[in-house]
Amino acid sequence: MEPILEVKGLRKSFGDFTLKDISFSLPRGFIMGLIGPNGSGKSTTIKLIMNLLKKEAGEVRVCGLDTDRHVLAVKQKIGFVYDENHFYDELTALEMKRIVAPFYREWDEEAFNYYVDRFQLPVRKKIKALSKGNKMKFALTVALSHQAELIIMDEPTAGLDPVMRSELLEVLVELLQDERKGVLFSTHITTDLDKVADYITMINEGKVVFSVAKDTLQETCGLVKGGKSQLTPEIRDRLIGLREGSFGFEGLTTDRKQMEALLGERGVIERPTVEEIMVYLVRGYGNADISL
Amino acid sequence: MLTLVFKDILVQKNRLWLIVFYGVFMHIALYSLGDIGAYGGAAVGITYIFVLGACALDDKNRSEILLNSLPISRHSLVTAKYLTSLWFLALGLVVSTLAGTVAHFAGLDRGLVNLGTLAVIVFTGLLFISLYYPIYFLFGYLKARYYNTLLFIAALFVPALSATKVSGVGLPAWLGYFLEWFNRSQEAMALGFLGAGLLFVIISLLISIKFYQEREFA
Amino acid sequence: MDLIIVNSAAEPIYEQIVRQIKAMILRVQLKGGDPLPSIRGLAKELQISVITTKRAYDELEKEGLIVSVGGKGSFVAEQNPELLREKKLKLIEDKLAEAVQDAKMLDLSLEELQLMLKLLYEEV
């Protein structure tokens, strides 16, 4: 089956920022986390996928359909949740639903009611009066109520408390019980991804740093720690984002096996979290050879 | 598409009562401008306020990002905005006419609305719509704001100015004949104004669609 | 069937799953033909990546402990009794080896260790 989302060679520039050669692919049935520091190009990538920005080069396919040629068909298949509320403050959630629903051919009122119940959304209140969390839940409810196959989320957990974030993740995992679906999830709160993400794509300074399965990432990368005397030039050269203190050093390796051989019994290599991988890669970006 | 028109009305439902207020207020404020000035000022004023109101709310809620993420084509979004404004223009006409009629029967110096007046007002409304939207769809609400202030002032005075009869002196002969015929027959004038207004709207719509296709939402 | 996943452990999550399911099969808590939760169902329950659970099942399948039937899910493989016994023996051997290693660290002699084993054997 074709991937649910395929991004090839995307390019876009504004002023001195250029997003280039963004390529990745998300197979059906999986969750992909899109990570990177602020201003790295995550939102731009998502806006290009959603046709909110015009790409200068490259192509995007959703369920095998080119997003430029099948604009409306593609949007039928996408459910979206953005970092900010874009619904009308002046309307109640129910009124807003009445505006949005007619545009979806496969609007599913039952699903809508199910999520409204489950999230205990006060749908008769004006959107202005909803809490930040409820606004996100409402957006999520709309995204899940029209048989969308691809759910695209741009920083959906920004500003949400941990309980609500975990509720969101639970819904996503449930959604993937249907293996035709897929989720693209941009976030800088990477702890959300440590658990549920299947693939991680990292963007930095407008370029893809890596796009791999999270398990592979956590196995090939390692957080190396050791005493100062163990930091031989060979090891030093191979560590990314090296940090030296008075008690020892810490750095990231993208080749755990090689590092184990170099280090012998003397040092420790930990399994890094997604966040650690991101932090070290960003810190060491530009002066390290990063290949995954 | 009608859903979008409905949306533009619904988001402003709390201020719809203002329509009556504006209808009466404009008739009083523009009392000295004569029938066309007062009727037109009220109708076009209402159109202006609610068209801009809808655009302002789209801007405030950043909802163009939402609308453009839904399965709606950009030309539908544009066309819907034009339909919305036609609806507000119609509403403005009705309210303005009612207010003027009441003034007339209350014994004030106000004539009843006639076909000619109506045509000039509709034309002005359509002209406003045609001039405002392309700039709005090209630059967005915020950047179009200065421009629409100018338009507003123009919109207030055009009805009054077009009320002064055009004299045919110094114009080419055929235009002179045309204007003469125009001045003689109210029906012809109405038809002329309406036709011209619609033509403007259609040209404007096509330009707006073209502009909006290229818009980006950062 | 209980599975306990420790996120902070050094042991990768897929290995934790493999180890625990393997132990259940060897202890015959899971018998031949018993259905296992679906890959996606397990991922949902444990709130982990589908890739991780899939990998664990692949591993178990490679070892001949489970079989996957397309469209129906995964089941515990019918075990050859002799093979099963051998696997269990291997398990005991591994554990003993671990004990021996620890004993050597404390400089226990073979006799002392044997005595300990004897006492334990009679006790349990």
Side-chain angles (χ1 to χ4, degrees), chain B residues 30-139:
Chain B
L30 304 176
Y31 188 73
S32 57
L33 284 180
D35 281 357
I36 289 194
Y39 277 108
V44 178
I46 287 170
T47 314
Y48 172 87
I49 285 160
F50 285 89
V51 163
L52 263 81
C55 294
L57 287 177
D58 280 356
D59 181 73
K60 189 202 93 191
N61 293 306
R62 300 190 12 101
S63 52
E64 276 177 283
I65 290 185
L66 166 77
L67 297 173
N68 280 283
S69 299
L70 292 171
I72 312 175
S73 62
R74 292 197 175 186
H75 58 80
S76 306
L77 288 173
V78 175
T79 312
K81 270 273 181 285
Y82 277 80
L83 288 179
T84 301
S85 35
L86 293 185
W87 192 88
F88 280 121
L89 180 58
L91 201 65
L93 277 175
V94 171
V95 172
S96 176
T97 306
L98 282 177
T101 309
V102 169
H104 173 79
F105 286 112
L108 294 169
D109 178 21
R110 177 89 314 136
L112 284 175
V113 78
N114 60 32
L115 193 62
T117 314
L118 218 54
V120 173
I121 297 170
V122 169
F123 173 75
T124 313
L126 296 181
L127 191 65
F128 158 67
I129 295 164
S130 311
L131 291 176
Y132 176 62
Y133 275 140
I135 301 299
Y136 167 75
F137 282 113
L138 181 61
F139 294 117

Side-chain angles (χ1 to χ4, degrees), chain C residues 56-78:
Chain C
Y57 277 26
D58 285 349
E59 199 84 3
L60 287 164
E61 201 173 348
K62 227 171 25 191
E63 290 189 34
L65 289 166
I66 68 171
V67 282
S68 293
V69 184
K72 284 194 176 157
S74 303
F75 301 87
V76 177
E78 294 294 347

Side-chain angles (χ1 to χ4, degrees), chain A residues 12 47 50-52 54 72 75-76 80 82 84 86-90 95 99-100 103-104 126, chain B residues 3 7 11 13-14 57-58 60-63 65-66 68-72 74 213 216-218:
Chain A
K12 176 80 188 170
K47 287 192 167 130
M50 292 303 292
N51 265 327
L52 292 169
K54 304 263 163 200
L72 298 188
K75 296 213 167 131
Q76 289 285 352
F80 57 90
Y82 296 142
E84 280 173 58
H86 293 289
F87 295 117
Y88 290 88
D89 274 346
E90 293 73 18
E95 285 169 334
I99 303 283
V100 170
F103 293 105
Y104 288 110
K126 288 230 162 104
Chain B
T3 312
K7 180 266 300 174
V11 289
K13 68 168 187 269
N14 284 346
L57 287 177
D58 280 356
K60 189 202 93 191
N61 293 306
R62 300 190 12 101
S63 52
I65 290 185
L66 166 77
N68 280 283
S69 299
L70 292 171
I72 312 175
R74 292 197 175 186
Q213 297 288 7
E216 298 202 311
F217 304 93

Side-chain angles (χ1 to χ4, degrees), chain A residues 90-109:
Chain A
E90 293 73 18
L91 302 182
T92 66
L94 270 186
E95 285 169 334
M96 195 66 237
K97 186 261 301 187
R98 249 174 259 142
I99 303 283
V100 170
F103 293 105
Y104 288 110
R105 275 197 303 264
E106 293 183 69
W107 181 261
D108 182 348
E109 192 67 21

Side-chain angles (χ1 to χ4, degrees), chain A residues 40-271:
Chain A
S40 55
K42 301 187 296 280
S43 280
T44 304
T45 303
I46 285 184
K47 287 192 167 130
L48 287 167
I49 294 173
M50 292 303 292
N51 265 327
L52 292 169
L53 294 173
K54 304 263 163 200
K55 40 190 164 295
E56 284 156 18
E59 62 171 326
V60 178
R61 289 175 176 276
V62 172
C63 306
L65 297 173
D66 185 291
T67 54
D68 281 339
R69 269 181 296 161
H70 305 272
V71 186
L72 298 188
V74 162
K75 296 213 167 131
Q76 289 285 352
K77 291 174 187 287
I78 297 180
F80 57 90
V81 177
Y82 296 142
D83 55 342
E84 280 173 58
N85 170 48
H86 293 289
F87 295 117
Y88 290 88
D89 274 346
E90 293 73 18
L91 302 182
T92 66
L94 270 186
E95 285 169 334
M96 195 66 237
K97 186 261 301 187
R98 249 174 259 142
I99 303 283
V100 170
F103 293 105
Y104 288 110
R105 275 197 303 264
E106 293 183 69
W107 181 261
D108 182 348
E109 192 67 21
E110 225 169 89
F112 180 83
N113 290 330
Y114 166 78
Y115 285 110
V116 164
D117 268 2
R118 171 168 174 172
F119 297 144
Q120 304 194 328
L121 280 175
V123 282
R124 288 174 202 288
K125 272 198 191 166
K126 288 230 162 104
I127 290 182
K128 190 178 9 188
L130 299 185
S131 66
K132 170 112 185 136
N134 277 340
K135 282 178 188 168
M136 188 282 287
K137 284 176 177 172
F138 178 62
L140 183 65
T141 300
V142 171
L144 298 177
S145 300
H146 56 87
Q147 310 287 336
E149 290 177 38
L150 175 62
I151 306 293
I152 292 186
M153 305 210 254
D154 190 7
E155 301 276 0
T157 55
L160 296 191
D161 65 51
V163 179
M164 224 169 265
R165 277 173 21 218
S166 112
E167 234 178 309
L168 167 71
L169 298 182
E170 210 168 285
V171 172
L172 294 186
V173 174
E174 273 174 37
L175 189 74
L176 288 179
Q177 297 302 301
D178 178 348
E179 46 196 88
R180 287 171 307 131
K181 300 196 168 171
V183 177
L184 178 70
F185 183 134
S186 103
T187 182
H188 58 253
I189 307 173
T190 50
T191 42
D192 291 340
L193 302 172
D194 273 323
K195 288 175 137 190
V196 299
D198 297 297
Y199 293 93
I200 308 270
T201 298
M202 176 173 163
I203 296 183
N204 195 32
E205 293 176 8
K207 278 178 267 181
V208 172
V209 182
F210 58 76
S211 182
V212 290
K214 185 191 68 196
D215 286 21
T216 315
L217 189 66
Q218 287 182 318
E219 273 163 44
T220 50
C221 291
L223 199 57
V224 186
K225 294 179 180 174
K228 286 178 94 174
S229 62
Q230 292 157 359
L231 191 58
T232 63
E234 271 178 308
I235 291 177
R236 177 189 291 275
D237 283 352
R238 289 179 169 82
L239 286 179
I240 297 163
L242 178 70
R243 207 170 54 184
E244 288 175 84
S246 36
F247 302 109
F249 70 89
E250 272 183 36
L252 186 81
T253 173
T254 51
D255 186 345
R256 194 178 171 137
K257 289 233 167 69
Q258 181 202 46
M259 192 51 68
E260 272 166 5
L262 283 173
L263 215 54
E265 298 265 297
R266 296 165 297 167
V268 195
I269 304 182
E270 282 184 350
R271 185 154 55 104

